[in-house]
Amino acid sequence: MGLTNNDVFKKLRVAHKFRDTDIIKICELVDFKVTKSELGAIFRSEDHPKYMECGDQFLRNFLNGLIIHLRGPMPPKVAKKQEDKKKQV
């Protein structure tokens, strides 16, 4: 049996030493709203009655926010095209 989204999310949380507030801020970077109670449900064990499965969309939004958190926002594409033109000259 492979890793679930919950397992991946838990491992990323431990590896980066994130707290709930850190995860909430990271999700806000991509305009994805999440509450502490939702995070608590995701990080519970599978046999707990309030366990919630981490969906693909949830994990995708967190990963996109994590990229912005670690690398910073992407530069606008217009500026990139202007840089390419300057390199050609």
Side-chain angles (χ1 to χ4, degrees), residues 1-5 7 46 51 53:
M1 184 171 155
L3 290 174
T4 64
N5 287 349
D7 295 332
E46 288 184 37
Y51 169 80
E53 199 171 299

Side-chain angles (χ1 to χ4, degrees), residues 51-70:
Y51 169 80
M52 184 174 86
E53 199 171 299
C54 179
D56 292 341
Q57 180 181 3
F58 193 101
L59 187 61
R60 177 178 49 93
N61 282 305
F62 173 73
L63 291 173
N64 286 334
L66 184 60
I67 290 168
I68 293 170
H69 174 74
L70 296 175

Side-chain angles (χ1 to χ4, degrees), residues 2 25-26 35 37 39 45 53 58 79:
K25 288 177 186 175
I26 288 170
T35 63
S37 60
L39 290 176
S45 64
E53 199 171 299
F58 193 101

Side-chain angles (χ1 to χ4, degrees), residues 38-51:
E38 287 175 315
L39 290 176
I42 287 173
F43 293 127
R44 294 182 193 277
S45 64
E46 288 184 37
D47 58 345
H48 193 279
K50 300 227 179 199
Y51 169 80

